[in-house]
């Protein structure tokens, strides 16, 4: 195995594991918006998590079958596994903080 293939496999494994852990952690901790507000929103958060995990697993299958270029799979895994969930988490936290400040300034 060439050094570049070994480094690619190592980076892919790192991104794959980080993606799985991120989605499961955020789902279990209930950090997705609206998870506890109503039953309908809870289903949406669960469905979104299942879809994201399926996409992460699909990246692993595509890598195993070598159907897509390596760099494209790494970028897809990085976006689906890390950028989307943490971006949504931070946007939700900022919106909640702004909303809280607006409400406290009106009282």
């Amino acid at each position: 195995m060439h050094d570049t293939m070994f480094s690619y496999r190592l980076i892919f494994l790192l991104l794959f594991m980080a993606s799985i852990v991120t989605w499961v952690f955020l789902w279990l901790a209930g950090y997705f918006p609206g998870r506890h507000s109503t039953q309908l929103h809870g289903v949406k958060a669960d469905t979104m998590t299942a879809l994201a995990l399926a996409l992460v697993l699909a990246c692993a299958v595509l890598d195993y079958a070598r159907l897509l270029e390596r760099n494209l799979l790494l970028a897809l895994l990085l976006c689906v596994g890390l950028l989307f969930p943490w971006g949504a988490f931070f946007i939700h936290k900022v919106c909640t903080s702004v909303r809280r400040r607006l409400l406290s300034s009106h009282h």
Side-chain angles (χ1 to χ4, degrees):
M1 187 182 289
H2 301 295
D3 288 340
T4 57
M5 183 56 98
F6 178 73
S7 61
Y8 165 75
R9 292 283 180 210
L10 193 61
I11 291 171
F12 187 87
L13 180 64
L14 175 75
L15 284 175
F16 179 77
M17 293 303 293
S19 298
I20 295 291
V21 168
T22 294
W23 279 104
V24 170
F25 170 73
L26 290 175
W27 176 70
L28 287 175
Y31 282 128
F32 291 118
R35 177 153 189 215
H36 298 292
S37 60
T38 64
Q39 192 68 359
L40 179 64
H41 291 289
V43 170
K44 285 184 180 180
D46 292 345
T47 304
M48 180 179 65
T49 302
L51 178 64
L53 288 173
L55 286 173
V56 169
L57 290 173
C59 286
V61 169
L62 289 173
D63 178 60
Y64 182 75
R66 297 181 186 189
L67 295 176
L68 290 177
E69 185 181 338
R70 293 187 294 178
N71 294 336
L72 181 65
L73 277 173
L74 287 177
L76 182 64
L77 195 58
L78 182 68
C79 289
V80 169
L82 297 174
L83 294 179
F84 290 160
W86 288 111
F89 169 75
F90 287 123
I91 287 171
H92 174 69
K93 289 295 182 184
V94 167
C95 289
T96 303
S97 173
V98 167
R99 212 175 298 128
R100 198 175 302 138
R101 284 185 184 180
L102 286 175
L103 289 175
S104 67
S105 68
H106 289 307
H107 293 321

